[in-house]
Amino acid sequence: MFMKKIMKYLIVIILLALIGLIGFLIWKYNYKNEYINNKPNDNYDKEPIYLDHVDEFDIKDSNYLERFYERYVAYKKLHPDYSDDKIITYVNIGLDKPFYSDMEEVDMSKKYLIICNKYHNLKKNYVPDLVSLDGYGGGSMEREAASYFKKMVDAAKKEGLSLKNVSGYRSYNTQTSLYNSYVSKDGKAKADTYSARPGTSEHQTGLASDINWVSSRFENTDEFKWLIKNAHKYGFILRYPKGKTFITGYTYEPWHFRYVGESVAKYIYEHDITYEEYYATFILK
Ligand SMILES: [Zn+2]
């Protein structure tokens, strides 16, 4: 008798809960539609608004990030001729702000796909797991980058070409004295076009190598021509290409190669983009 009473109450409670749930779902559906149709322009962080904002941009394979919405809109006003994909990529890179104006720490969780540039700096005390490049020009590089660097040098050697690392890993302190010496020679503005401020040099990541000859004339060598065609097979990319200074922050450096791993290097090579564009499209979340 007692159990029967409890069962009755239970059934009533379950029925009431079901009615409540159905009511809530109907309300939520209508509320959401109303929200989208009315397009209110305050409370940016509510989900229905998120959908509105995505709709404002014509997106293909770009990485739209809601937290940059207002920057996209502002940048679009400045560059009405740019496609939305370009607006999103460029803002993700940080190009709507001057170099060095708003530094963020390098996201080390990206491993071989970290970005270290005029928007992202390394910690002063960051030192990668280093391996010597004795017999390959000397100096050192990060372990995996070094092993692929050696494979690349060996492959070039088989074709009668000689590649050597002339500058691989550089510590924060080395970069500080290097940068300071350039500043006293050429002034800060000029030095900034070719030398990284301490903490922002890709050489501190251990993933970069200056090969053979730090000179624009390196471009005319057979070694350079070979690298341009083959470096991606060993996971390396030309990091500061011609005509991309406004993106990378550096003048053309035919000698500076960066390890990113084979598949990413292949993508960047085939699509002829900068690492900044790759990172802003596929890595940044
Ligand atoms: Zn370099």
Side-chain angles (χ1 to χ4, degrees):
M1 199 57 190
F2 182 66
M3 283 302 284
K4 257 191 182 169
K5 227 174 192 176
I6 285 188
M7 285 297 283
K8 254 186 201 165
Y9 279 126
L10 260 178
I11 288 166
V12 169
I13 285 167
I14 289 167
L15 276 175
L16 281 174
L18 269 175
I19 289 164
L21 185 68
I22 290 164
F24 172 74
L25 286 175
I26 290 170
W27 171 79
K28 201 181 169 205
Y29 179 77
N30 286 331
Y31 171 80
K32 207 171 177 182
N33 277 347
E34 203 178 291
Y35 225 98
I36 290 168
N37 294 335
N38 290 337
K39 296 195 180 205
N41 48 19
D42 50 359
N43 290 327
Y44 282 118
D45 49 7
K46 283 194 181 154
E47 200 199 348
I49 303 276
Y50 171 86
L51 295 174
D52 279 355
H53 283 170
V54 173
D55 290 347
E56 286 173 31
F57 289 92
D58 174 26
I59 299 163
K60 284 166 205 90
D61 59 353
S62 279
N63 191 4
Y64 174 92
L65 298 169
E66 179 60 19
R67 66 180 186 278
F68 294 158
Y69 169 71
E70 287 178 24
R71 287 170 61 189
Y72 296 146
V73 172
Y75 199 62
K76 203 172 170 176
K77 269 185 199 151
L78 285 174
H79 300 280
D81 51 320
Y82 284 4
S83 71
D84 283 353
D85 261 345
K86 200 173 205 175
I87 294 286
I88 289 161
T89 305
Y90 283 8
V91 169
N92 287 5
I93 292 171
L95 297 179
D96 57 328
K97 296 177 181 181
F99 293 135
Y100 294 123
S101 64
D102 190 9
M103 299 304 292
E104 239 177 78
E105 210 168 88
V106 172
D107 178 359
M108 297 310 297
S109 70
K110 310 294 184 204
K111 293 184 175 167
Y112 296 102
L113 296 177
I114 52 174
I115 194 160
C116 179
N117 61 8
K118 292 180 178 181
Y119 298 109
H120 302 86
N121 65 285
L122 293 163
K123 281 193 177 125
K124 224 173 175 170
N125 59 3
Y126 176 71
V127 181
D129 176 20
L130 293 169
V131 163
S132 158
L133 289 178
D134 278 352
Y136 291 84
S140 61
M141 277 180 92
E142 186 278 336
R143 188 172 296 277
E144 185 175 306
S147 100
Y148 280 88
F149 182 81
K150 289 174 182 175
K151 280 181 199 166
M152 180 166 77
V153 174
D154 292 342
K157 205 175 184 176
K158 280 185 189 147
E159 297 186 35
L161 299 166
S162 163
L163 301 178
K164 59 181 196 298
N165 171 57
V166 293
S167 191
Y169 165 72
R170 290 202 295 258
S171 71
Y172 185 94
N173 288 339
T174 306
Q175 188 63 30
T176 305
S177 20
L178 202 61
Y179 177 75
N180 288 341
S181 75
Y182 290 137
V183 169
S184 52
K185 198 179 98 195
D186 284 336
K188 203 170 176 132
K190 176 102 193 281
D192 275 339
T193 65
Y194 65 86
S195 178
R197 293 186 190 174
T200 70
S201 170
E202 208 168 53
H203 287 279
Q204 197 190 334
T205 67
L207 302 173
S209 168
D210 292 343
I211 300 175
N212 285 14
W213 199 11
V214 180
S215 158
S216 57
R217 280 170 292 173
F218 179 54
E219 193 186 17
N220 304 319
T221 64
D222 289 342
E223 278 78 5
F224 173 77
K225 285 165 197 158
W226 185 89
L227 280 168
I228 279 301
K229 266 188 260 160
N230 297 288
H232 68 276
K233 296 172 191 165
Y234 305 91
F236 283 87
I237 55 163
L238 178 72
R239 183 65 179 84
Y240 306 118
K242 212 178 248 178
K244 299 291 172 75
T245 303
F246 72 103
I247 296 178
T248 63
Y250 290 94
T251 43
Y252 175 45
E253 292 193 2
W255 59 86
H256 182 113
F257 284 78
R258 150 79 193 265
Y259 180 75
V260 290
E262 217 181 306
S263 64
V264 175
K266 185 168 177 262
Y267 186 94
I268 288 172
Y269 169 80
E270 283 172 354
H271 292 80
D272 194 25
I273 55 171
T274 59
Y275 187 58
E276 270 76 14
E277 290 162 286
Y278 183 87
Y279 190 90
T281 308
F282 299 109
I283 309 296
L284 187 71
K285 292 280 171 249

